[in-house]
Amino acid sequence: MAHPNRRLVIQSAAATVGAMSFAPQLLAQSAPVRIGYSMSRTGPWTGGAQVSQEPNYLLWAEQQNAAGGLDVKGVRRKIELISSDDRSDMETVVRTYEKLMGSDKVDLVLPPWGSNANFAVAPLANRMGYPFLAPTALSRRLAEMKLPYFFLLLQQPKPMCDALVEMFKANGVKTVAVVYVDDLFGLENYAAFKVALQGTGITMVEDKSYPGGVKDLSPVLRSMKDRNPDAFVGFTYPPDTILASRQAKEIGFNPKFFYASVGTAFPLYKNVMTPAGAEGVLGMGSWNGKTSPGAKAYFDAHVASQKKEPDRWASGACWAGLEILTNAVKAQGLDRKAIRDYVANNTHKTIIGDIKFSGSENVGTPGTVGQWQNGEFEVVWPQKVATAKLNPSKPAWK
């Protein structure tokens, strides 16, 4: 028979060993989830990045941490965001993600701003096995790269241009003039638009490319005004969207349909052009607060937290991507392969509707057209997801 004191010592030692073996697990559970990204806070990409992306990352982390942390398979763990300014520079973007996924070994990453930066980083993230739900990448080439870990949340050039041309055709457009930025975004959208026009009876009366950072579009716009098209289409970035709109107003170029791209759905556009000046302008857009109860709740939370409105296009896709990531981590933990499989193989309920991926492409969200009406950027096409009826004749610039 063992001495009672000896048994007590053995039991205490066993308890200590058990506690020691359990302690690392407790520590792991309570450790923050480290999530890294680079973002444009300076340079030419800043306007879009600081509207459509970073405010949503910050709001998401704030909400999750207020709830006790991100739900990692039933265990709440605080989110620690590790981020830096990429200065709108491609090399800086790539170096930052190399460090985050390499030496820093963060748990997850969030994507940078824009098609070009995502095009540079997507193969790296795929090689390192990090799921990438990109909310501001618009590129057929990215889908064609067939990267299993890469997911495009925005509607791509074909569905967006198909919806635009379908709307034009349904409303009697016969002639159109097009400008496009000379980069991946502009070239792909211009190509998709040309294909969509085939067989419609709509004639492209003029088409011009322009370099990024353009300071004057008035010569092109004057030439287009002389041709008197029914519709103008600009595959443009935020500064160019505003430039084209301002200069069209200055020269009195006011076709029935005036469509611009990135930035049209930004609150900045309405503020710069004034609500009356923006009235009737069309652009890329897929949601607003009327889209779903979740969209309204997100809109209100964004305004309360970030002290500004989200845009009515990519912000919705960004938040939808964060919703998908949240649910994936809740179901699968931080196993990145399991997260990737969850994203790839499920239909996801989000604030902008159902999202489902075929390869890298979101095939659940239809191509859409938005229009400024009475101070709100309404979804006007296709009619099945519209939040308001299309105004088929833009009023004069004011």
Side-chain angles (χ1 to χ4, degrees), residues 235-259:
F235 295 116
T236 50
Y237 286 137
D240 325 334
T241 294
I242 290 171
L243 178 67
S245 301
R246 278 177 159 167
Q247 293 190 324
K249 177 181 176 180
E250 286 168 8
I251 67 170
F253 177 39
N254 191 55
K256 286 177 64 179
F257 297 91
F258 189 97
Y259 175 97

Side-chain angles (χ1 to χ4, degrees), residues 55-351:
N56 291 304
Y57 292 173
L58 298 174
L59 174 61
W60 175 67
E62 177 187 295
Q63 286 191 350
Q64 293 298 319
N65 286 342
L70 187 63
D71 185 338
V72 183
K73 253 187 170 177
V75 178
R76 290 280 181 180
R77 293 171 56 180
K78 295 284 188 176
I79 291 173
E80 178 188 344
L81 294 177
I82 301 166
S83 65
S84 60
D85 179 11
D86 57 39
R87 305 191 306 276
S88 303
D89 176 72
M90 201 81 71
E91 286 187 18
T92 304
V93 172
V94 174
R95 285 199 306 271
T96 300
Y97 281 92
E98 283 176 338
K99 183 174 185 295
L100 288 169
M101 296 184 288
S103 58
D104 290 350
K105 292 183 168 51
V106 295
D107 296 302
L108 300 167
V109 291
L110 300 173
W113 159 264
S115 303
N116 288 333
N118 277 274
F119 192 80
V121 175
L124 173 67
N126 193 72
R127 191 168 68 248
M128 302 285 280
Y130 277 81
F132 229 59
L133 286 102
T136 57
L138 192 67
S139 169
R140 185 73 225 154
R141 284 176 62 193
L142 275 163
E144 289 169 352
M145 289 169 75
K146 299 187 186 305
L147 302 173
Y149 281 77
F150 188 76
F151 302 95
L152 294 147
L153 290 156
L154 286 180
Q155 307 99 316
Q156 295 304 297
K158 183 182 187 306
M160 291 300 266
C161 289
D162 285 353
L164 179 59
V165 171
E166 179 189 75
M167 186 193 77
F168 283 164
K169 187 177 178 183
N171 287 277
V173 169
K174 297 299 182 187
T175 54
V176 61
V178 182
V179 297
Y180 57 97
V181 61
D182 188 12
D183 75 351
L184 187 65
F185 167 81
L187 291 166
E188 286 200 8
N189 277 278
Y190 170 67
F193 185 73
K194 280 204 303 184
V195 170
L197 286 178
Q198 291 174 6
T200 62
I202 300 172
T203 303
M204 192 185 300
V205 295
E206 188 165 357
D207 57 313
K208 290 279 168 57
S209 67
Y210 66 87
V214 67
K215 301 300 182 190
D216 186 9
L217 287 169
S218 59
V220 175
L221 295 172
R222 286 182 192 280
S223 174
M224 290 178 172
K225 181 186 177 185
D226 290 343
R227 294 178 180 273
N228 194 30
D230 296 325
F232 165 83
V233 172
F235 295 116
T236 50
Y237 286 137
D240 325 334
T241 294
I242 290 171
L243 178 67
S245 301
R246 278 177 159 167
Q247 293 190 324
K249 177 181 176 180
E250 286 168 8
I251 67 170
F253 177 39
N254 191 55
K256 286 177 64 179
F257 297 91
F258 189 97
Y259 175 97
S261 302
V262 187
T264 316
F266 287 9
L268 174 68
Y269 186 88
K270 175 180 64 173
N271 295 341
V272 169
M273 298 302 296
T274 76
E279 185 70 20
V281 173
L282 298 156
M284 289 182 171
S286 59
W287 77 286
N288 62 35
K290 303 174 191 175
T291 296
S292 69
K296 177 68 165 64
Y298 156 66
F299 186 96
D300 292 345
H302 190 288
V303 172
S305 170
Q306 302 300 305
K307 310 306 178 192
K308 58 184 178 182
E309 295 181 359
D311 77 278
R312 313 303 200 269
W313 183 41
S315 277
C318 187
W319 196 256
L322 294 167
E323 288 183 299
I324 293 168
L325 183 62
T326 302
N327 290 332
V329 171
K330 182 178 181 179
Q332 305 297 331
L334 294 174
D335 180 329
R336 292 193 291 270
K337 170 66 164 61
I339 291 172
R340 179 262 157 212
D341 291 346
Y342 178 95
V343 174
N345 297 322
N346 286 285
T347 298
H348 308 280
K349 302 289 183 186
T350 77
I351 63 164

